[in-house]
Amino acid sequence: MSDTHNYLPFCRPSFSDNIISDDHGKYDHHYWSPIPSLTKSCMMCKRKSLSRRLTIRRESHISEDNAAHIQIRQDLKPKFAKSCRGLICLWCSEECHRQCWQSVNDNNDDNKCDYGKYKNIIVRPQWLHRVANSPVGFQARFPDNIDPSNSSLTPLIVFINKLSGGQKGEIIYNKLIRLLNPRQVFLLENDASVMQALDIYSSLRNTRILLCGGDGTVGWILSTLAKRFSSLDNPPVGICPMGTGNDLSRVLGWGWSYNMKRLLTTLLHISNAKPIALDRWQVDFEPLTRIDPIEETGSIRRCLSHILDHPKFVREIDRPSYQNYQKPLNVRFTNYISFGLDAAVVLDFHDKRMRDPSKFTSPMKNKLIYLNISRQYFREFALWRAWNLRSYMRIICDGEDMTNSLRHCHTVVLLNIPSYGSGTHPWSRTYQNSISLSNNIPNQTEKFNQINSNRFQDIDPPDYSYDQCKSAREDISNTVESSRASVTNDQIGRQSIDDRKIEVVGLDSIQMALIHIGFRGRRIAQCSQVRLELIRSMPVHMDGDPFYLPQFTAINVTHAGQVLVLTNDNK
Ligand SMILES: [Zn+2]
Ligand SMILES: [Zn+2]
């Protein structure tokens, strides 16, 4: 029996200072902690309750050697209350009776700890060593006798955003530091803390990452990984969805909302999940000299646009406050970037939350406030459909000016993944079977049971009066209803997360509501680079983070390599 086992540790050692190259196995001991009663069968006697007869029978078979150990242990008087009748291993969760524990011989191979059902992802203490003169203090590496290329071991680094999911991050953290090695679980603070965590595990092969957070957190960490690793060289990333949208998590099969049961299932599946490539996109901003908006057609409309108090993406009263949101948190995205109405709602919500956090204390309250802001914006823009993004920006896709396609659009979205705005599919609903690491699948004809976009774009409100707008909206709704029933064959490019193409979709205020019940938006282009030139100031929404861009800004979106993510086939 090793010295370390002459007492009952209440905390597991999370690292080792011993040299491990000769015999890594000798550290695979159970680490027992007292529990009042057993919740499952004892690993020794295979029974849950311990009868008096059984106790006597087992103790009568204890060898003299073991009897000596028992004597030592009784002398040491391990401190556990008389009410504690059992013990649990803090690594593998095996349980055993107090009486049976006295006959456990840790040097017997049958009694080695196998680290339980999370054995593939647990960072074993003997892999972690303290390193002097290092800012991170620790370094992880496999022992010499483990060949990582032939191993099913996929040590996991877990990053948790404490604030995501209605402050559930702390509950997850407390749970995971019990199930795994506490030194492999990190609360997210800043870029430096992420880099330090990656430094500790840089020598450990086959590592994987689990991100517990919303789309904003995922975007941030993927961006940090891209700074540290070259394209497709990062530890692949799985997701525990804790935000409101969770679009990337939906696409990769990790679910659309958080619950503890799903998280535990994720821990079991993440070792077998398949790494796939995900495109990343670079966003560069540049100031422009003044450019003129595209003139509205028709003299009446031209005059009215100057006279009337049309709806605005950036309201004058909000403008001073929005100056705080000029700098985007990152300049690369993986999910989407949107301009216009969608971003205006998100930025307004975000600004209100920053100014008075006491009103945003629960997910339900937040949702109601968000819906209320959306309703105000949507109502204004639904009444003024003719006021569209053409007056605000030019859009150039692969060198071709597509600004005229923004007619009637209140939002333009550049989509990298098929899911947007909490699980809607503005480009195509039939993406699921397309996702693959291989790029062999050719463009294919897809069947849509959705809006015929050509018919939709032909409808134009004839005038600006409320009644006529209202009747025009009813016409649109009727058209949508009738076209929904018809199946339209449409030749489009397959949407995939690894094809180095980005999909550009336009949505008006009505379509923004309809995409939630299965409709799609207006497909503008599928291209490799996009340039937008802002004629007026504009709110922008990028991977969950809203920000504000002043007028006369150009935005260039180009491909920026790929990052490895994990897709879950065991949904
Ligand atoms: Zn154990
Ligand atoms: Zn037992």
Side-chain angles (χ1 to χ4, degrees):
M1 193 81 55
S2 65
D3 289 340
T4 53
H5 276 240
N6 284 336
Y7 63 94
L8 287 175
F10 288 83
C11 281
R12 296 161 294 171
S14 55
F15 64 93
S16 165
D17 281 333
N18 296 313
I19 304 300
I20 56 166
S21 55
D22 53 343
D23 179 14
H24 82 285
K26 76 178 183 186
Y27 293 93
D28 288 332
H29 297 299
H30 296 286
Y31 281 86
W32 299 111
S33 179
I35 46 173
S37 60
L38 266 58
T39 57
K40 58 185 182 185
S41 303
C42 168
M43 62 172 284
M44 296 300 296
C45 68
K46 311 298 178 200
R47 287 166 186 254
K48 199 166 174 181
S49 63
L50 186 67
S51 71
R52 187 175 174 75
R53 198 171 129 259
L54 183 70
T55 312
I56 293 165
R57 185 176 62 78
R58 286 202 61 83
E59 289 189 350
S60 66
H61 281 80
I62 295 171
S63 67
E64 281 186 11
D65 280 356
N66 272 348
H69 276 299
I70 290 166
Q71 188 58 45
I72 291 167
R73 288 178 182 211
Q74 280 167 353
D75 291 345
L76 285 167
K77 289 183 183 164
K79 289 176 187 170
F80 44 3
K82 284 187 177 173
S83 59
C84 293
R85 295 184 179 151
L87 297 159
I88 185 168
C89 171
L90 295 178
W91 286 116
C92 66
S93 302
E94 285 286 2
E95 294 180 8
C96 125
H97 295 110
R98 257 178 78 182
Q99 289 88 339
C100 297
W101 167 74
Q102 290 173 326
S103 65
V104 172
N105 182 350
D106 280 344
N107 289 330
N108 182 342
D109 274 352
D110 292 341
N111 289 335
K112 289 270 188 264
C113 183
D114 70 351
Y115 294 86
K117 56 184 174 180
Y118 303 117
K119 58 176 174 272
N120 286 341
I121 57 169
I122 286 179
V123 172
R124 302 183 185 183
Q126 62 268 27
W127 300 349
L128 264 176
H129 310 279
R130 277 192 287 203
V131 180
N133 306 322
S134 158
V136 292
F138 287 90
Q139 187 67 50
R141 68 175 174 88
F142 281 129
D144 296 342
N145 55 351
I146 291 185
D147 179 3
S149 56
N150 289 328
S151 172
S152 57
L153 297 172
T154 53
L156 191 67
I157 308 171
V158 186
F159 290 117
I160 301 169
N161 186 341
K162 207 161 86 170
L163 302 175
S164 292
Q167 320 278 327
K168 288 206 174 63
E170 203 142 348
I171 297 169
I172 293 178
Y173 180 76
N174 288 330
K175 179 81 178 174
L176 293 190
I177 57 171
R178 283 170 172 77
L179 291 178
L180 310 175
N181 186 330
R183 293 194 187 275
Q184 67 188 113
V185 187
F186 298 87
L187 282 174
L188 284 169
E189 289 167 20
N190 49 38
D191 271 2
S193 64
V194 177
M195 289 296 189
Q196 285 187 358
L198 295 172
D199 280 344
I200 293 172
Y201 293 96
S202 59
S203 309
L204 203 60
R205 287 185 56 192
N206 294 355
T207 44
R208 296 185 162 200
I209 293 174
L210 177 64
L211 292 183
C212 304
D215 286 334
T217 310
V218 175
W220 165 32
I221 299 301
L222 291 183
S223 188
T224 310
L225 289 175
K227 284 180 206 160
R228 170 70 191 262
F229 299 95
S230 53
S231 193
L232 296 179
D233 200 30
N234 62 292
V237 176
I239 299 166
C240 166
M242 286 173 62
T244 45
N246 303 313
D247 288 298
L248 186 57
S249 174
R250 290 167 196 259
V251 170
L252 298 177
W254 297 111
W256 55 275
S257 69
Y258 161 78
N259 65 57
M260 186 53 83
K261 197 175 163 193
R262 187 192 297 278
L263 172 60
L264 299 181
T265 313
T266 297
L267 293 179
L268 290 176
H269 290 160
I270 199 159
S271 191
N272 297 321
K274 192 171 66 177
I276 61 169
L278 171 68
D279 287 329
R280 302 185 68 256
W281 296 85
Q282 173 79 31
V283 185
D284 294 312
F285 305 99
E286 65 175 77
L288 285 175
T289 50
R290 187 184 173 82
I291 51 172
D292 293 323
I294 289 180
E295 281 293 317
E296 289 290 349
T297 52
S299 55
I300 296 175
R301 189 175 289 190
R302 210 163 36 235
C303 292
L304 286 173
S305 70
H306 292 293
I307 299 165
L308 290 175
D309 186 20
H310 54 78
K312 293 182 179 67
F313 298 109
V314 176
R315 296 169 178 170
E316 292 307 314
I317 49 164
D318 294 331
R319 193 183 293 270
S321 168
Y322 284 175
Q323 303 299 326
N324 299 330
Y325 304 110
Q326 280 202 35
K327 287 218 184 291
L329 290 177
N330 57 55
V331 289
R332 291 188 178 190
F333 72 94
T334 46
N335 294 4
Y336 56 82
I337 184 168
S338 75
F339 301 82
L341 184 52
D342 161 65
V345 174
V346 178
L347 184 56
D348 202 336
F349 173 82
H350 184 72
D351 183 52
K352 283 187 169 63
R353 184 161 61 174
M354 295 305 279
R355 277 192 282 176
D356 190 0
S358 63
K359 286 184 183 165
F360 297 79
T361 49
S362 77
M364 183 55 80
K365 253 188 197 174
N366 296 359
K367 202 163 260 186
L368 284 174
I369 296 170
Y370 186 86
L371 283 175
N372 195 33
I373 297 171
S374 309
R375 192 180 55 79
Q376 290 168 10
Y377 275 92
F378 280 35
R379 188 169 172 278
E380 282 181 22
F381 279 89
L383 289 173
W384 295 92
R385 282 189 74 246
W387 191 258
N388 58 57
L389 283 175
R390 278 201 317 171
S391 317
Y392 277 74
M393 62 168 70
R394 293 175 193 276
I395 183 165
I396 298 129
C397 304
D398 279 349
E400 189 178 348
D401 192 333
M402 305 292 285
T403 311
N404 271 331
S405 305
L406 297 177
R407 197 165 171 239
H408 300 315
C409 293
H410 297 134
T411 294
V412 61
V413 194
L414 277 55
L415 283 170
N416 186 42
I417 63 170
S419 183
Y420 158 78
S422 306
T424 67
H425 306 124
W427 182 264
S428 160
R429 282 186 298 173
T430 52
Y431 71 90
Q432 283 91 344
N433 298 329
S434 305
I435 292 174
S436 162
L437 250 187
S438 69
N439 283 320
N440 299 330
I441 304 169
N443 288 357
Q444 51 189 292
T445 302
E446 296 182 356
K447 289 186 176 178
F448 287 92
N449 189 11
Q450 296 174 326
I451 306 169
N452 177 332
S453 62
N454 292 331
R455 292 182 68 186
F456 199 83
Q457 94 187 42
D458 287 338
I459 297 164
D460 196 11
D463 203 339
Y464 289 88
S465 76
Y466 175 77
D467 286 335
Q468 281 170 315
C469 273
K470 193 177 166 197
S471 89
R473 275 196 299 146
E474 281 163 5
D475 287 344
I476 291 161
S477 302
N478 294 338
T479 310
V480 166
E481 281 306 312
S482 59
S483 64
R484 193 180 188 220
S486 67
V487 176
T488 312
N489 287 330
D490 203 347
Q491 193 77 35
I492 62 152
R494 160 184 85 100
Q495 188 174 21
S496 171
I497 63 173
D498 62 350
D499 59 357
R500 295 162 196 269
K501 296 267 184 196
I502 197 149
E503 286 74 26
V504 184
V505 185
L507 298 158
D508 75 5
S509 54
I510 298 172
Q511 283 170 313
M512 283 189 67
L514 291 174
I515 55 171
H516 290 277
I517 52 170
F519 292 94
R520 65 169 168 83
R522 176 185 302 179
R523 300 184 190 119
I524 294 173
Q526 188 177 37
C527 51
S528 304
Q529 49 182 298
V530 181
R531 178 179 168 87
L532 294 108
E533 294 174 353
L534 296 188
I535 298 156
R536 296 171 199 206
S537 54
M538 176 65 69
V540 186
H541 181 200
M542 183 165 79
D543 282 359
D545 288 318
F547 56 95
Y548 163 92
L549 287 177
Q551 64 179 159
F552 307 133
T553 306
I555 303 111
N556 294 304
V557 179
T558 48
H559 193 258
Q562 295 182 317
V563 64
L564 278 181
V565 288
L566 291 166
T567 178
N568 177 30
D569 294 329
N570 302 303
K571 286 168 228 175

